Amino acid sequence: MTHKTNGSDACHSVVSQMELDLLAALLEPEDAAYPWNPSDDESEIYFEELERQFAQDVSDEEFTTRAQVFYDKLDHLWSGVTPSSYYNHNTSSLAVDHLQENLHTAFATGIPQNWLNAIATKAAEIFASQQSLGEQLVECVQSVLPTWEADDLLIFARPYAYAMRSSEGQNLTSIVDNVNHQEWSALSEVEQAKLSVAIAYYAIRQLNDSQAES
């Protein structure tokens, strides 16, 4: 019985000491844990002590090995940021800016600028995809008319897709004239959807022409 009591007292003593150590750590001033001001005299002593402990814990050979592993990991991370990916990102941004500028120049100011920007951005995003022209036109228009069903928009897109298949294509000048002769604010949503398909077609043709020239 006495043995159990002594064991209990020892355990209680250890727990109490741990609690005291934890309390002391919590009550320790923040600036006592780390010298935030390098100009303090105590800072130099602190860092010298760290270097001394580090030298005791890590040999020169182990330090060299750890350093090599660290730099190898850095090289691996940097290898993912290739010049080509950086170039492609910037090229894509330039293509969007250039296409937006072309749409603003071609079409009347009555058409909302954010409408043209959204169509240009989506066109540049999906231009290199494996989608058909009709599907690309639908996606472009859905970026400004998200509530429209793809099947409904595809009806408006089919004439442009058929024209491209026959290698004739729609006349871009005629498209611009037709869109600019409309009073955008007076159009119904259906008419705006039709003209949006025409604008999307113009945008994709611009991207096609730019690619052919490069």
Side-chain angles (χ1 to χ4, degrees):
M1 189 72 177
T2 304
H3 176 72
K4 290 185 178 179
T5 303
N6 291 339
S8 175
D9 290 343
C11 179
H12 178 73
S13 177
V14 172
V15 172
S16 298
Q17 185 60 46
M18 292 174 60
E19 291 176 345
L20 289 174
D21 291 342
L22 177 60
L23 181 61
L26 292 174
L27 295 178
E28 185 178 4
E30 292 185 4
D31 56 357
Y34 186 85
W36 296 104
N37 186 359
S39 63
D40 286 346
D41 294 337
E42 294 181 358
S43 297
E44 185 174 356
I45 299 175
Y46 176 86
F47 290 115
E48 286 180 353
E49 179 62 21
L50 282 184
E51 291 179 1
R52 185 186 64 79
Q53 293 178 5
F54 182 78
Q56 291 177 347
D57 296 339
V58 182
S59 65
D60 291 342
E61 182 179 352
E62 185 179 0
F63 176 78
T64 302
T65 302
R66 290 185 182 183
Q68 186 60 49
V69 171
F70 173 74
Y71 288 121
D72 287 344
K73 288 184 177 179
L74 283 183
D75 291 339
H76 177 70
L77 291 174
W78 277 111
S79 66
V81 186
T82 60
S84 59
S85 63
Y86 178 80
Y87 173 78
N88 291 336
H89 171 74
N90 283 274
T91 301
S92 177
S93 299
L94 290 174
V96 171
D97 293 342
H98 183 63
L99 185 56
Q100 288 178 349
E101 184 180 347
N102 283 350
L103 295 190
H104 293 167
T105 302
F107 297 104
T109 55
I111 301 175
Q113 300 296 290
N114 62 331
W115 202 283
L116 297 177
N117 289 343
I119 290 177
T121 301
K122 178 58 69 173
E125 176 187 329
I126 64 177
F127 173 66
S129 69
Q130 299 300 316
Q131 294 173 300
S132 66
L133 175 61
E135 290 171 334
Q136 290 180 343
L137 294 176
V138 167
E139 277 207 41
C140 288
V141 178
Q142 283 182 323
S143 68
V144 291
L145 291 172
T147 60
W148 275 68
E149 295 292 336
D151 290 342
D152 295 332
L153 293 173
L154 195 56
I155 295 174
F156 304 146
R158 279 173 184 161
Y160 299 98
Y162 290 150
M164 284 292 286
R165 287 177 189 172
S166 64
S167 301
E168 295 178 1
Q170 296 275 355
N171 185 280
L172 295 185
T173 302
S174 299
I175 290 176
V176 171
D177 290 341
N178 179 51
V179 173
N180 288 341
H181 278 88
Q182 309 291 329
E183 184 62 38
W184 185 263
S185 58
L187 297 177
S188 66
E189 189 174 279
V190 173
E191 292 169 323
Q192 288 182 353
K194 289 181 180 179
L195 292 188
S196 296
V197 172
I199 295 171
Y201 176 78
Y202 180 92
I204 291 176
R205 282 284 301 275
Q206 289 289 307
L207 292 171
N208 268 319
D209 293 345
S210 296
Q211 187 182 62
E213 293 173 0
S214 60

